Amino acid sequence: MKTQVAIIGGGPSGLLLAQLLHTKGIDSIVLERKTRDYVLGRIRAGVLEQGLVGLMEQAGCAERMHREGFLHSGTLISYDDQMFRLDFTEHTGRAVMVYGQTEVTRDLYAARDKIGGQVEFNVADVVINSAEQGPVEICYKIEGKPQKLEADFVAGCDGFHGVSRKTIPEDVRREYEKVYPFGWLGVLSETPPVNDELIYANSPHGFALCSMRNDQLSRYYIQCSMQDQPSDWSDEAFWTELKRRIPASEAANLVTGPSIEKSIAPLRSFVTEPMRWGRLFLCGDAAHIVPPTGAKGLNTAASDVHYLFQALTQFYTEDCSDGIDGYSEKALRRVWKTERFSWWFSSLMHRYPDQSEFDRKMQIAELDFLRSNEAAQKAMAECYVGLPY
Ligand code: APR
Ligand code: PHB
């Protein structure tokens, strides 16, 4: 088989890139390790920056998002037993779209089907050859049968555990990582959200987040130990702990119910440089990971996809390589700003095992400053709604 752009990974990054390339008549084939149902079964965050909303519109996949998504103009932040609202729209003129990432991926698959775009599922043993000089040759297996795909370029959209990043030689790659000493225990419940907006809570008992998918589907998280297993937490224990981490006024309104999904996610900050090696370009979680506190995982994948889409379009339509030559530097410039915000917000909102009383006082002072200072609120709002591409 041959194509112009081979895309490793059928998650949101790979699918969004494929759909955008199609709008410019650029052919791609997506190679996905799992089945579509498996990919769609992943529960992920649900806050979209306007940049991603715009890309979904550009890709012709935004109709259901606009119909079923919710625009949020602010968020609530609580610490100890007080709460204040950060008004994004007042400070930036913009809002965020609350719409599950699973739904974004579902819409992208539907769009891929509609154009008859090729996705190979259950792909195994992917090896990317001659990525540095090109033409790229990708060898893989389906049901044990060897397959080969030749392409001009390959987009590594295969997430943190994929093969693309490791295709870049170790002596070329520079990796930066911070592992946080806690995880997030998440619960999905068919209950009405506790509030119309998200609540980020810093409490003496640890972090909590109240989010939602729609007016009858809520998503809640509490900071937990990395030694915990989901099975260590009964629904009752989860609800009890959540209630004591959010303001009493909110806890009184919390509608509890059986969890329909319960999982624990580790938190890490990670960046690999460069994001390009010859004809191989890394996008999304293949290149970087953020703690979920700022909901920046998918949104940072989206900005990578934007830059790569622009670069490949320039190459094929103007026979110009400036975009692909500048891709890594341009993408990383925004990646590191988002890594900083995600690290800062995580440091502000969580209880750290080794936290001293002074450290705790600094957290409270920072929250008091954020609560009372326009410039601090504007800075956070700019990062939360999304820095410019
Ligand atoms: N070959 C083919 N596909 C692979 C391989 C491989 N060797 N390794 C991984 N994959 C697939 C995974 O099965 C997954 O469907 O690549 C896809 C990567 O998708 P994500 O991990 O979702 O990463 P990305 O598309 O960059 O999305 C980033 O979405 O999943 C969230 O936390 C993530 O918010 C972040 C955003
Ligand atoms: C979610 O709805 O899953 C969510 C929302 C905001 C975050 C993280 C996760 O910061």
Side-chain angles (χ1 to χ4, degrees):
M1 280 191 299
K2 279 193 175 184
T3 188
Q4 291 172 294
V5 182
I7 297 174
I8 317 288
S13 296
L15 291 167
L16 179 58
L17 177 63
Q19 199 57 23
L20 288 167
L21 290 171
H22 172 75
T23 67
K24 297 294 183 183
I26 299 169
D27 185 55
S28 64
I29 291 179
V30 178
L31 303 180
E32 166 54 47
R33 178 170 62 179
K34 299 292 188 181
T35 64
R36 178 189 301 216
D37 286 348
Y38 184 96
V39 174
L40 291 175
R42 294 183 185 124
I43 303 293
R44 292 281 164 72
V47 175
L48 313 185
E49 294 176 356
Q50 284 303 322
L52 174 50
V53 171
L55 289 174
M56 290 291 281
E57 290 167 346
Q58 199 176 349
C61 306
E63 191 267 335
R64 187 165 75 102
M65 176 181 63
H66 283 302
R67 194 173 67 245
E68 297 180 10
F70 301 80
L71 278 178
H72 280 204
S73 59
T75 189
L76 297 162
I77 295 173
S78 72
Y79 55 112
D80 296 342
D81 206 25
Q82 51 190 327
M83 188 160 73
F84 67 96
R85 182 168 185 269
L86 179 70
D87 189 326
F88 312 135
T89 306
E90 174 194 336
H91 293 293
T92 69
R94 288 179 289 153
V96 293
M97 173 73 78
V98 174
Y99 186 67
Q101 177 180 311
T102 307
E103 304 318 310
V104 169
T105 309
R106 198 187 310 281
D107 293 342
L108 288 166
Y109 267 116
R112 191 77 178 154
D113 292 344
K114 196 171 176 183
I115 62 167
Q118 196 170 346
V119 181
E120 299 285 326
F121 292 103
N122 296 312
V123 158
D125 304 338
V126 170
V127 176
I128 303 170
N129 296 315
S130 59
E132 193 173 14
Q133 299 82 13
V136 179
E137 179 191 84
I138 297 159
C139 298
Y140 59 97
K141 289 178 183 162
I142 293 185
E143 294 172 356
K145 292 181 187 150
Q147 313 285 331
K148 191 181 291 182
L149 174 60
E150 292 184 15
D152 300 333
F153 300 103
V154 52
C157 301
D158 47 352
F160 185 70
H161 301 289
V163 297
S164 298
R165 182 175 70 251
K166 296 162 193 161
T167 299
I168 301 177
E170 281 192 24
D171 61 353
V172 173
R173 264 185 287 141
R174 297 178 302 282
E175 297 189 349
Y176 307 86
E177 184 172 41
K178 174 181 182 63
V179 178
Y180 295 80
F182 39 74
W184 277 20
L185 168 61
V187 156
L188 200 60
S189 62
E190 290 172 329
T191 54
V194 68
N195 195 295
D196 293 340
E197 294 184 320
L198 273 60
I199 304 174
Y200 289 88
N202 173 323
S203 91
H205 309 291
F207 171 80
L209 171 60
C210 303
S211 185
M212 64 202 69
R213 294 291 176 268
N214 58 52
D215 58 9
Q216 286 306 319
L217 190 60
S218 296
R219 181 66 166 167
Y220 295 104
Y221 300 93
I222 58 173
Q223 172 187 345
C224 66
S225 160
M226 276 318 293
Q227 280 63 53
D228 284 1
Q229 297 294 324
S231 54
D232 296 335
W233 287 85
S234 67
D235 286 359
E236 185 185 359
F238 177 84
W239 294 122
T240 301
E241 189 60 29
L242 176 66
K243 283 181 180 176
R244 71 178 191 150
R245 296 190 185 187
I246 60 179
S249 58
E250 300 301 318
N253 296 332
L254 183 69
V255 176
T256 63
S259 60
I260 58 173
E261 192 272 349
K262 189 184 289 177
S263 54
I264 290 178
L267 273 69
R268 78 160 47 97
S269 298
F270 175 86
V271 179
T272 193
E273 293 183 352
M275 288 175 58
R276 181 245 179 138
W277 186 61
R279 302 263 176 144
L280 168 63
F281 300 88
L282 304 182
C283 281
D285 277 17
H288 41 73
I289 297 286
V290 284
T293 321
K296 293 301 176 190
L298 177 57
N299 291 302
T300 311
S303 51
D304 296 345
V305 167
H306 166 79
Y307 296 133
L308 185 53
F309 166 56
Q310 297 293 330
L312 291 170
T313 301
Q314 182 189 52
F315 175 84
Y316 281 111
T317 59
E318 301 169 30
D319 193 22
C320 173
S321 299
D322 293 351
I324 55 178
D325 292 341
Y327 166 73
S328 182
E329 183 185 353
K330 192 167 194 178
L332 283 165
R333 196 175 306 127
R334 190 179 189 274
V335 162
W336 278 113
K337 289 174 186 170
T338 306
E339 290 282 346
R340 181 211 66 83
F341 170 68
S342 302
W343 160 81
W344 169 80
F345 199 25
S346 300
S347 306
L348 181 62
M349 298 306 291
H350 291 80
R351 296 287 292 189
Y352 286 67
D354 61 351
Q355 194 169 33
S356 68
E357 276 310 301
F358 177 81
D359 296 335
R360 177 69 182 154
K361 282 291 188 184
M362 285 298 99
Q363 270 190 342
I364 299 304
E366 177 97 30
L367 285 160
D368 278 339
F369 180 65
L370 181 62
R371 176 179 186 149
S372 59
N373 185 280
E374 286 281 303
Q377 290 195 13
K378 182 173 172 56
M380 177 172 175
E382 291 285 359
C383 291
Y384 197 95
V385 298
L387 296 173
Y389 284 176

